[in-house]
């Protein structure tokens, strides 16, 4: 719930509301509210302190992107929504094309109620301490990965709703040191696995896989890289950035 206060006799300015059929993209600062059917033409970044609110019944349609971006400000090659401030979605739909892009809560907060995310590379990702409150029925479907959780400290989940990963390649992925999934999480119809767990929740007695061996002294280092032609890697390689493989190109990693 948003509460706007004003002194007696003063007008209360409502947050700007987008018109139907609007196209949005770029960085969002301050308060931005969208309603109706909205096309997202390029990446959206909700800056720290800013809020993006999706009105009930709103639908965000993300354009397909063949971007070769390696800007560390973003996470996927496709069009995405990165939240470093606050995202509020109530009864909204976020549709991504061809399993690309996704919603990344990067140190910010997402309040999701009766909302659907579909077609992304990773439907909902929590990273760098990002938090999500789930109310009602929230669904993530037809994505490569439904939900991805990275290390970030305390339990990032709030709310008493249900988070359902349906018809994804992998329902959920937890990386080493990441907190657990919310109590209301469930996966169904996964193509490969309902859940891949590379770590364990705090306090769990489940065994933890051993750390990988340290790379040798002669290891190669790769920063942000966009691979446009076939490439082969062998030996020890330290990846210090984001590596993206273009459509039609093949990255081969030798034994």
């Amino acid at each position: 719930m948003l509460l706007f206060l004003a002194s007696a006799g003063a007008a209360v300015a409502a947050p700007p509301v987008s018109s139907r059929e609007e196209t949005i993209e770029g960085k969002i600062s301050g308060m931005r509210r969208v309603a109706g059917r909205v096309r997202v033409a390029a990446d959206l970044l909700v800056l720290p302190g800013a809020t993006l609110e999706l009105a009930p019944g709103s639908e965000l349609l993300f354009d397909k992107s063949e971007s070769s971006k390696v800007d560390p400000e973003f996470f996927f090659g496709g069009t995405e929504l990165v939240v470093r401030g606050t995202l509020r979605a109530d009864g909204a739909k976020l549709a991504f094309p061809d399993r690309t892009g996704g919603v990344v809560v990067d140190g910010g907060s997402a309040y999701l109620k009766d909302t659907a995310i579909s077609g992304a590379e990773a439907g909902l990702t929590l990273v760098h301490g990002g938090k999500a409150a789930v109310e009602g029925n929230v669904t993530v479907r037809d994505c490569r990965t439904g939900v991805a959780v990275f290390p970030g400290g305390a339990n990032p989940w709030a709310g008493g709703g249900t988070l359902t990963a349906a018809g994804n390649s992998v329902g959920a992925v937890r990386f080493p040191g990441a907190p657990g999934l919310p109590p209301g999480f469930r996966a169904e119809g996964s193509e490969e696995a309902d859940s891949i767990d590379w770590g364990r929740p705090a306090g769990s007695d489940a065994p933890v896989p051993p750390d990988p061996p340290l790379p040798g002294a002669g290891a190669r280092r790769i920063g942000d890289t966009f691979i446009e032609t076939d490439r082969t890697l062998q030996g020890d390689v330290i990846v210090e950035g984001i590596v993206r493989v273009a459509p039609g190109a093949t990255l081969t990693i030798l034994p």
Side-chain angles (χ1 to χ4, degrees):
M1 180 179 74
L2 298 179
L3 180 64
F4 297 89
L5 302 178
S7 61
V12 178
V17 180
S18 72
S19 62
R20 300 179 70 85
E21 306 286 337
E22 186 178 2
T23 297
I24 61 175
E25 61 182 81
K27 297 179 179 179
I28 294 177
S29 59
M31 174 70 185
R32 180 71 180 272
R33 188 171 190 263
V34 299
R37 189 180 177 91
V38 178
R39 174 179 162 233
V40 182
D43 296 303
L44 277 177
L45 173 61
V46 182
L47 295 171
T51 297
L52 172 62
E53 181 178 337
L54 310 183
S58 60
E59 185 175 6
L60 264 61
L61 304 176
F62 289 76
D63 280 1
K64 185 175 182 179
S65 171
E66 301 295 348
S67 171
S68 61
K69 67 184 184 227
V70 293
D71 189 333
E73 195 167 55
F74 298 97
F75 294 84
F76 301 116
T79 307
E80 64 191 13
L81 168 57
V82 176
V83 181
R84 296 199 174 119
T86 301
L87 169 67
R88 296 181 182 274
D90 182 354
K93 295 181 180 179
L94 297 90
F96 295 85
D98 299 335
R99 293 189 169 183
T100 63
V103 177
V104 182
V105 185
D106 178 22
S109 299
Y111 299 88
L112 308 175
K113 179 180 179 182
D114 297 326
T115 289
I117 301 171
S118 63
E121 182 174 342
L124 177 63
T125 299
L126 303 186
V127 64
H128 297 150
K131 299 181 181 298
V134 177
E135 298 291 351
N137 296 308
V138 175
T139 60
V140 182
R141 64 175 63 249
D142 191 28
C143 302
R144 293 187 189 276
T145 299
V147 178
V149 185
F150 287 80
N155 178 22
W157 303 102
T162 300
L163 176 59
T164 301
N168 304 286
S169 180
V170 177
V173 175
R174 286 186 55 255
F175 290 87
L181 296 166
F185 176 81
R186 65 181 184 182
E188 56 188 38
S190 303
E191 298 167 8
E192 298 178 17
D194 285 342
S195 179
I196 297 177
D197 189 352
W198 292 106
R200 63 175 178 176
S204 171
D205 292 328
V208 178
D211 291 334
L214 295 175
R220 297 177 56 193
R221 295 180 179 270
I222 296 179
D224 291 337
T225 304
F226 185 67
I227 297 175
E228 299 181 273
T229 58
D230 293 352
R231 184 171 177 181
T232 299
L233 296 177
Q234 61 182 332
D236 290 343
V237 179
I238 300 174
V239 179
E240 298 178 316
I242 299 174
V243 177
R244 307 189 193 282
V245 182
T250 299
L251 171 61
T252 302
I253 301 175
L254 297 180

